[in-house]
Amino acid sequence: MMGEQHTPPYPSYAPHTPPPSPDNRMPTEEKQAPRRDPRGRVKLLTVLFLVVCLLAGGAFFLLQSWHSSGSVSGGQNAAQAPVRPWCASPQGLSTNFTGFGITGLSTHDVWSIGAGIMHWDGKKWSVSFRPLSAQLDLRSIDEIAPDNIWAVGEQLTNGLASHAITVHYDGKSWSVVTAPDGAPNGKNTLVAVSGTASDNIWAVGFQVPARGPLSSLIEHWDGKRWTIVKHPEPVSGLQFTSVKALASNDVWAVGYGSLIRGGKSVNQPVIEHWNGQTWNPVANPDLTPSGGGMLYAIDGSNSSNLWAVGSASQRLLSEHWDGQSWKIVDTPAVPPDNSNWLASVAVSSSGSVWVVGRVRESSNAFQPFIAHWDGHQWQMLQDTADNAGELDQIAQIDGQYWIVGIPRSNGGHAFIHVLCP
């Protein structure tokens, strides 16, 4: 689950209208044709044949465009999107749903985080954990096993100060578990959590002392207690937004901080890796010359296939780790490329990649953005929610991809729907 909630939009992608079928066209008046030289008739037939080929090719292209409306970076042609990417959502899935983040191991065992924690049993949502105080602000949730679920956030106070907070589900009930503060009397916020076992849970975020600059925060659960883990701060004001644990010696955290370039402060994405002993910065593309960038989420299937997403100069940003280095993978340009970002990414064991976020259309309204990477190119899909404004998270659950977001209009409820590629 991403850390800070950001929202990106894109222009509507209405399917192209195919040309009218021959049966619907006005019939032409038949006239007695004068005798022509055979060579002229051959030329005429050749021209007619070429026209028919062009029309057939155009119709084929339009039919393909019905399923895929995106263009691919690098000058490649857009791949055809899955013909039926959207599932028929289970009855009642959107009823009483609240939240901005989800996790789950089965389509009959899904958890949602928001003002509290809700559970989907395959038929309905029910409240599983309701904070005793409205000042308990939960940000992220991860189900490692049915009896091992963690959620993290912060316990607000009436002043600036806040405390890192975690809650745990043991298969029967939720309990609040104390976590240490990196900045006593300051602000301490955990925004993302990921784990692989009961004694290997990681949470990341940021801290702001009562006097001093903002810095990042990393904490680890060893099965008995949470402890703060030291790590490098390669940039100023570093804050982590997402974490992905693959193994006890293979954990990744992403975020952003600022560097001084030309006398100005510019945001630069930051990626760090835990090798079982220490956290170390990992080189990733320098975006400061082009205006900077930020990473909001990370996911991966193994140590040589990870993806991180965010924004760069208010445009969509995606980066890929192949086991050797991080490289930018060009994403589709969505005009006017202003305030666009990717908020979440989900990677399957087969290597399929889905990203969601938002883009701003020419009318200044935000629209949802969904794209799929098939190993060679991106495919943009049209969202089915009539009032979708932005998408906040995508999570792989039992072969499906569950997506949550917020509506375009104020006062609406969070929505949820499902992809079945």
Side-chain angles (χ1 to χ4, degrees), residues 157-289:
T157 66
N158 294 328
L160 166 68
S162 67
H163 307 286
I165 196 74
T166 71
V167 294
H168 179 251
Y169 184 72
D170 61 5
K172 297 180 180 180
S173 61
W174 289 92
S175 57
V176 176
V177 182
T178 303
D181 289 339
N185 302 317
K187 185 176 182 63
N188 300 268
T189 307
L190 296 174
V191 301
V193 60
S194 179
T196 62
S198 59
D199 58 353
N200 185 44
I201 312 297
W202 291 88
V204 301
F206 63 92
Q207 56 188 349
V208 185
R211 294 184 179 181
L214 178 150
S215 62
S216 54
L217 178 63
I218 298 180
E219 301 198 12
H220 179 252
W221 173 261
D222 62 3
K224 296 181 179 180
R225 64 183 63 84
W226 286 98
T227 56
I228 295 175
V229 182
K230 294 182 178 180
H231 59 280
E233 297 262 347
V235 296
S236 299
L238 172 61
Q239 53 182 309
F240 287 117
T241 55
S242 183
V243 60
K244 177 64 177 182
L246 296 170
S248 59
N249 61 349
D250 192 8
V251 186
W252 295 82
V254 301
Y256 60 91
S258 62
L259 296 171
I260 302 300
R261 293 290 186 267
K264 297 181 179 180
S265 178
V266 183
N267 283 328
Q268 165 63 24
V270 173
I271 302 176
E272 295 196 10
H273 178 252
W274 171 260
N275 60 14
Q277 300 294 325
T278 59
W279 282 95
N280 299 288
V282 180
N284 66 302
D286 182 5
L287 300 181
T288 57

Side-chain angles (χ1 to χ4, degrees), residues 41 69 85 179 402:
R41 181 173 298 177
S69 58
W402 291 45

